[in-house]
Amino acid sequence: MKARIKVMLKNGVLDPQGKAIEGALETLGFPNVASVRQGKFFEVELDEKDPARARATIDDISKKLLANTVIENYAIEIDEK
């Protein structure tokens, strides 16, 4: 089973890397970009058949390692194929 985890800074948390990318895009000739927020993407393959257990495992992994839940949110997508 494959899981995809998207980690993003919470709304209201300063994103200096996103701001730097935004500025670089304007310099490169993309003045119509209103804002950029950067994040992280993880793909994890599990040896698990039960979708509920897979989601629980990925949720635990996300809380303990992949996301700093004080300043970041995460979203999980499980591919049961």
Side-chain angles (χ1 to χ4, degrees), residues 8-57:
M8 296 290 295
L9 288 168
K10 291 181 178 181
N11 287 332
V13 174
L14 184 62
D15 182 357
Q17 190 172 2
K19 282 290 184 198
I21 294 167
E22 190 179 310
L25 288 170
E26 186 170 344
T27 301
L28 290 170
F30 300 98
N32 57 340
V33 174
S35 92
V36 175
R37 305 242 337 138
Q38 71 88 39
K40 300 178 275 189
F41 175 80
F42 301 93
E43 191 169 270
V44 178
E45 204 161 318
L46 294 175
D47 187 16
E48 178 61 67
K49 303 291 184 221
D50 180 357
R53 282 204 303 232
R55 181 169 292 282
T57 298

Side-chain angles (χ1 to χ4, degrees), residues 53-72:
R53 282 204 303 232
R55 181 169 292 282
T57 298
I58 293 298
D59 189 56
D60 204 26
I61 289 169
S62 297
K63 285 179 193 168
K64 290 182 177 177
L65 180 64
L66 303 181
N68 176 349
T69 56
V70 173
I71 61 169
E72 295 174 317

Side-chain angles (χ1 to χ4, degrees), residues 1-5 43-46 48-51 54-55 58 76-81:
M1 200 168 291
K2 208 176 264 190
R4 285 174 289 287
I5 305 98
E43 191 169 270
V44 178
E45 204 161 318
L46 294 175
E48 178 61 67
K49 303 291 184 221
D50 180 357
R55 181 169 292 282
I58 293 298
I76 299 169
E77 183 181 312
I78 302 286
D79 186 359
E80 299 179 30
K81 297 176 188 171

